[in-house]
Each structure stands twice: as structure tokens, then as C-alpha cells.
Short mmCIF file of all heavy atoms in Angstrom, two decimals:
data_model
loop_
_atom_site.label_atom_id
_atom_site.label_comp_id
_atom_site.label_asym_id
_atom_site.label_seq_id
_atom_site.Cartn_x
_atom_site.Cartn_y
_atom_site.Cartn_z
N MET A 29 42.81 -5.42 -81.85
CA MET A 29 41.88 -5.30 -80.73
C MET A 29 41.85 -6.56 -79.87
O MET A 29 41.98 -6.51 -78.65
CB MET A 29 40.47 -4.99 -81.25
CG MET A 29 39.38 -5.02 -80.20
SD MET A 29 39.59 -3.77 -78.92
CE MET A 29 39.11 -2.31 -79.82
N VAL A 30 41.69 -7.72 -80.49
CA VAL A 30 41.58 -8.96 -79.74
C VAL A 30 42.91 -9.30 -79.08
O VAL A 30 42.97 -9.68 -77.90
CB VAL A 30 41.10 -10.11 -80.64
CG1 VAL A 30 41.04 -11.42 -79.87
CG2 VAL A 30 39.73 -9.79 -81.24
N GLU A 31 44.00 -9.19 -79.82
CA GLU A 31 45.31 -9.53 -79.29
C GLU A 31 45.67 -8.64 -78.10
O GLU A 31 46.22 -9.10 -77.10
CB GLU A 31 46.37 -9.41 -80.38
CG GLU A 31 47.74 -9.91 -79.96
CD GLU A 31 48.73 -9.94 -81.11
OE1 GLU A 31 48.53 -9.18 -82.09
OE2 GLU A 31 49.71 -10.69 -81.03
N TYR A 32 45.34 -7.36 -78.19
CA TYR A 32 45.69 -6.42 -77.13
C TYR A 32 45.07 -6.85 -75.80
O TYR A 32 45.75 -6.88 -74.77
CB TYR A 32 45.21 -5.00 -77.48
CG TYR A 32 45.42 -4.01 -76.36
CD1 TYR A 32 46.66 -3.45 -76.15
CD2 TYR A 32 44.37 -3.67 -75.51
CE1 TYR A 32 46.87 -2.54 -75.11
CE2 TYR A 32 44.57 -2.77 -74.47
CZ TYR A 32 45.82 -2.21 -74.27
OH TYR A 32 46.01 -1.34 -73.24
N PHE A 33 43.79 -7.17 -75.81
CA PHE A 33 43.14 -7.56 -74.55
C PHE A 33 43.61 -8.93 -74.09
O PHE A 33 43.71 -9.19 -72.89
CB PHE A 33 41.62 -7.50 -74.69
CG PHE A 33 41.10 -6.10 -74.69
CD1 PHE A 33 40.59 -5.53 -75.85
CD2 PHE A 33 41.14 -5.33 -73.54
CE1 PHE A 33 40.12 -4.22 -75.84
CE2 PHE A 33 40.68 -4.03 -73.53
CZ PHE A 33 40.16 -3.47 -74.69
N GLY A 34 43.89 -9.82 -75.04
CA GLY A 34 44.42 -11.13 -74.66
C GLY A 34 45.73 -11.00 -73.91
O GLY A 34 46.01 -11.77 -72.98
N GLU A 35 46.55 -10.02 -74.30
CA GLU A 35 47.85 -9.82 -73.65
C GLU A 35 47.71 -9.38 -72.21
O GLU A 35 48.66 -9.51 -71.42
CB GLU A 35 48.66 -8.78 -74.44
CG GLU A 35 49.16 -9.29 -75.78
CD GLU A 35 49.75 -8.19 -76.63
OE1 GLU A 35 49.50 -7.00 -76.35
OE2 GLU A 35 50.47 -8.52 -77.60
N GLN A 36 46.55 -8.86 -71.85
CA GLN A 36 46.33 -8.40 -70.47
C GLN A 36 45.83 -9.52 -69.55
O GLN A 36 45.67 -9.30 -68.35
CB GLN A 36 45.30 -7.26 -70.45
CG GLN A 36 45.43 -6.22 -71.53
CD GLN A 36 46.68 -5.40 -71.41
OE1 GLN A 36 47.04 -4.97 -70.32
NE2 GLN A 36 47.36 -5.17 -72.52
N LEU A 37 45.57 -10.69 -70.12
CA LEU A 37 44.94 -11.77 -69.37
C LEU A 37 45.85 -12.98 -69.24
O LEU A 37 46.72 -13.21 -70.08
CB LEU A 37 43.64 -12.20 -70.07
CG LEU A 37 42.56 -11.13 -70.19
CD1 LEU A 37 41.49 -11.58 -71.17
CD2 LEU A 37 41.96 -10.82 -68.82
N GLU A 38 45.65 -13.75 -68.16
CA GLU A 38 46.33 -15.02 -68.00
C GLU A 38 45.48 -16.11 -68.67
O GLU A 38 44.26 -16.08 -68.60
CB GLU A 38 46.50 -15.35 -66.52
CG GLU A 38 47.36 -14.35 -65.75
CD GLU A 38 48.82 -14.36 -66.17
OE1 GLU A 38 49.26 -15.37 -66.78
OE2 GLU A 38 49.51 -13.37 -65.89
N GLY A 39 46.14 -17.08 -69.30
CA GLY A 39 45.42 -18.16 -69.96
C GLY A 39 45.50 -18.09 -71.47
O GLY A 39 44.91 -18.93 -72.17
N TYR A 40 46.23 -17.08 -72.00
CA TYR A 40 46.43 -16.93 -73.44
C TYR A 40 47.91 -17.04 -73.78
O TYR A 40 48.78 -16.65 -72.99
CB TYR A 40 45.94 -15.56 -73.93
CG TYR A 40 44.44 -15.41 -74.02
CD1 TYR A 40 43.75 -14.64 -73.11
CD2 TYR A 40 43.74 -16.03 -75.05
CE1 TYR A 40 42.37 -14.49 -73.19
CE2 TYR A 40 42.36 -15.90 -75.15
CZ TYR A 40 41.68 -15.12 -74.22
OH TYR A 40 40.32 -14.98 -74.31
N ALA A 41 48.20 -17.58 -74.95
CA ALA A 41 49.55 -17.58 -75.50
C ALA A 41 49.52 -16.82 -76.82
O ALA A 41 48.46 -16.65 -77.44
CB ALA A 41 50.05 -19.01 -75.72
N PHE A 42 50.70 -16.37 -77.27
CA PHE A 42 50.75 -15.51 -78.46
C PHE A 42 51.80 -16.00 -79.44
O PHE A 42 52.93 -16.32 -79.06
CB PHE A 42 51.03 -14.07 -78.04
CG PHE A 42 50.02 -13.55 -77.06
CD1 PHE A 42 50.21 -13.72 -75.69
CD2 PHE A 42 48.85 -12.99 -77.50
CE1 PHE A 42 49.25 -13.30 -74.79
CE2 PHE A 42 47.88 -12.56 -76.61
CZ PHE A 42 48.08 -12.71 -75.25
N SER A 43 51.40 -16.08 -80.69
CA SER A 43 52.29 -16.58 -81.74
C SER A 43 53.01 -15.40 -82.41
O SER A 43 52.60 -14.25 -82.29
CB SER A 43 51.50 -17.36 -82.79
OG SER A 43 50.58 -16.50 -83.45
N GLN A 44 54.06 -15.73 -83.13
CA GLN A 44 54.75 -14.71 -83.93
C GLN A 44 54.10 -14.56 -85.30
O GLN A 44 53.95 -13.45 -85.82
CB GLN A 44 56.22 -15.11 -84.14
CG GLN A 44 57.09 -15.07 -82.91
CD GLN A 44 58.43 -15.72 -83.18
OE1 GLN A 44 58.57 -16.92 -83.12
NE2 GLN A 44 59.43 -14.91 -83.48
N PHE A 45 53.71 -15.68 -85.89
CA PHE A 45 53.24 -15.68 -87.28
C PHE A 45 51.91 -16.40 -87.45
O PHE A 45 51.62 -16.93 -88.52
CB PHE A 45 54.30 -16.34 -88.18
CG PHE A 45 55.68 -15.75 -88.01
CD1 PHE A 45 56.66 -16.45 -87.34
CD2 PHE A 45 55.97 -14.48 -88.49
CE1 PHE A 45 57.93 -15.91 -87.16
CE2 PHE A 45 57.23 -13.94 -88.30
CZ PHE A 45 58.22 -14.65 -87.64
N GLY A 46 51.12 -16.42 -86.38
CA GLY A 46 49.86 -17.15 -86.43
C GLY A 46 48.73 -16.39 -87.07
O GLY A 46 47.65 -16.23 -86.49
N TRP A 47 48.94 -15.92 -88.31
CA TRP A 47 47.93 -15.13 -89.00
C TRP A 47 46.86 -16.03 -89.59
O TRP A 47 47.16 -17.08 -90.17
CB TRP A 47 48.57 -14.31 -90.13
CG TRP A 47 49.58 -13.33 -89.63
CD1 TRP A 47 50.94 -13.50 -89.59
CD2 TRP A 47 49.33 -12.05 -89.07
NE1 TRP A 47 51.54 -12.41 -89.04
CE2 TRP A 47 50.60 -11.49 -88.71
CE3 TRP A 47 48.17 -11.31 -88.82
CZ2 TRP A 47 50.70 -10.24 -88.13
CZ3 TRP A 47 48.29 -10.06 -88.24
CH2 TRP A 47 49.54 -9.53 -87.91
N VAL A 48 45.60 -15.64 -89.44
CA VAL A 48 44.49 -16.35 -90.06
C VAL A 48 43.57 -15.34 -90.71
O VAL A 48 43.54 -14.16 -90.36
CB VAL A 48 43.69 -17.18 -89.02
CG1 VAL A 48 44.56 -18.29 -88.43
CG2 VAL A 48 43.15 -16.29 -87.90
N GLN A 49 42.79 -15.80 -91.69
CA GLN A 49 41.90 -14.91 -92.41
C GLN A 49 40.74 -14.49 -91.52
O GLN A 49 40.12 -15.32 -90.86
CB GLN A 49 41.36 -15.60 -93.66
CG GLN A 49 40.49 -14.67 -94.53
CD GLN A 49 39.91 -15.39 -95.72
OE1 GLN A 49 39.59 -16.57 -95.65
NE2 GLN A 49 39.75 -14.69 -96.82
N SER A 50 40.49 -13.20 -91.48
CA SER A 50 39.34 -12.67 -90.75
C SER A 50 38.17 -12.47 -91.72
O SER A 50 37.11 -13.06 -91.57
CB SER A 50 39.70 -11.36 -90.07
OG SER A 50 38.57 -10.79 -89.44
N TYR A 51 38.38 -11.65 -92.72
CA TYR A 51 37.40 -11.48 -93.79
C TYR A 51 38.11 -10.85 -94.97
O TYR A 51 39.05 -10.07 -94.80
CB TYR A 51 36.22 -10.63 -93.34
CG TYR A 51 36.59 -9.25 -92.86
CD1 TYR A 51 36.73 -8.18 -93.74
CD2 TYR A 51 36.80 -9.00 -91.51
CE1 TYR A 51 37.09 -6.92 -93.29
CE2 TYR A 51 37.17 -7.75 -91.05
CZ TYR A 51 37.29 -6.71 -91.94
OH TYR A 51 37.66 -5.48 -91.49
N GLY A 52 37.68 -11.17 -96.18
CA GLY A 52 38.31 -10.62 -97.37
C GLY A 52 39.80 -10.88 -97.36
O GLY A 52 40.26 -12.01 -97.18
N SER A 53 40.57 -9.80 -97.51
CA SER A 53 42.03 -9.93 -97.49
C SER A 53 42.61 -9.57 -96.13
O SER A 53 43.82 -9.55 -95.96
CB SER A 53 42.65 -9.01 -98.56
OG SER A 53 42.30 -7.65 -98.28
N ARG A 54 41.74 -9.30 -95.14
CA ARG A 54 42.22 -8.94 -93.80
C ARG A 54 42.56 -10.18 -93.00
O ARG A 54 41.76 -11.12 -92.90
CB ARG A 54 41.16 -8.12 -93.06
CG ARG A 54 41.54 -7.85 -91.60
CD ARG A 54 40.55 -6.93 -90.90
NE ARG A 54 40.70 -6.94 -89.46
CZ ARG A 54 41.66 -6.34 -88.78
NH1 ARG A 54 42.58 -5.64 -89.44
NH2 ARG A 54 41.71 -6.39 -87.46
N CYS A 55 43.75 -10.19 -92.43
CA CYS A 55 44.16 -11.29 -91.56
C CYS A 55 44.46 -10.74 -90.16
O CYS A 55 44.88 -9.60 -90.02
CB CYS A 55 45.41 -11.98 -92.13
SG CYS A 55 45.10 -12.93 -93.61
N VAL A 56 44.24 -11.57 -89.17
CA VAL A 56 44.51 -11.19 -87.78
C VAL A 56 45.36 -12.28 -87.14
O VAL A 56 45.45 -13.40 -87.64
CB VAL A 56 43.20 -11.00 -86.98
CG1 VAL A 56 42.41 -9.82 -87.50
CG2 VAL A 56 42.34 -12.27 -87.02
N LYS A 57 45.99 -11.94 -86.03
CA LYS A 57 46.84 -12.88 -85.29
C LYS A 57 46.24 -13.05 -83.89
O LYS A 57 46.71 -12.46 -82.93
CB LYS A 57 48.27 -12.36 -85.25
CG LYS A 57 49.28 -13.36 -84.71
CD LYS A 57 50.70 -12.97 -85.10
CE LYS A 57 51.13 -11.65 -84.51
NZ LYS A 57 51.28 -11.72 -83.04
N PRO A 58 45.17 -13.82 -83.78
CA PRO A 58 44.47 -13.89 -82.49
C PRO A 58 45.28 -14.62 -81.44
O PRO A 58 46.10 -15.49 -81.74
CB PRO A 58 43.19 -14.68 -82.82
CG PRO A 58 43.57 -15.50 -84.02
CD PRO A 58 44.55 -14.68 -84.81
N PRO A 59 45.06 -14.29 -80.16
CA PRO A 59 45.70 -15.03 -79.08
C PRO A 59 45.18 -16.46 -79.03
O PRO A 59 44.09 -16.76 -79.50
CB PRO A 59 45.31 -14.25 -77.82
CG PRO A 59 44.23 -13.33 -78.21
CD PRO A 59 44.21 -13.19 -79.68
N ILE A 60 45.98 -17.33 -78.45
CA ILE A 60 45.63 -18.75 -78.33
C ILE A 60 45.12 -18.98 -76.91
O ILE A 60 45.86 -18.86 -75.94
CB ILE A 60 46.85 -19.63 -78.60
CG1 ILE A 60 47.33 -19.42 -80.05
CG2 ILE A 60 46.54 -21.10 -78.34
CD1 ILE A 60 48.71 -20.01 -80.33
#
């Protein structure tokens, strides 16, 4: 969800492997 909208905006960069823990065992790859 977050990455999708970030891709529509200027001012964000996107990693290939920038996974971070969101909660529990779920990881997300948020835009920078």
C-alpha cells in the first residue's frame, strides 16, 4: 500500500531489498 502510492509521487526513491520489520513477522519495503 505505502510503496504503491510512493511510486506515484515525486520526492521518493525505491530500494530493491530495503525490507524492514512492520510488525510480528511482517516486513515491508517502504519508499525513501
Side-chain angles (χ1 to χ4, degrees):
M29 173 63 74
V30 178
E31 187 173 24
Y32 174 80
F33 285 109
E35 288 171 343
Q36 318 293 316
L37 298 167
E38 298 293 341
Y40 285 108
F42 303 90
S43 64
Q44 291 170 277
F45 308 107
W47 298 98
V48 296
Q49 185 183 33
S50 176
Y51 58 86
S53 61
R54 173 174 165 77
C55 290
V56 294
K57 190 162 63 68
I60 297 167

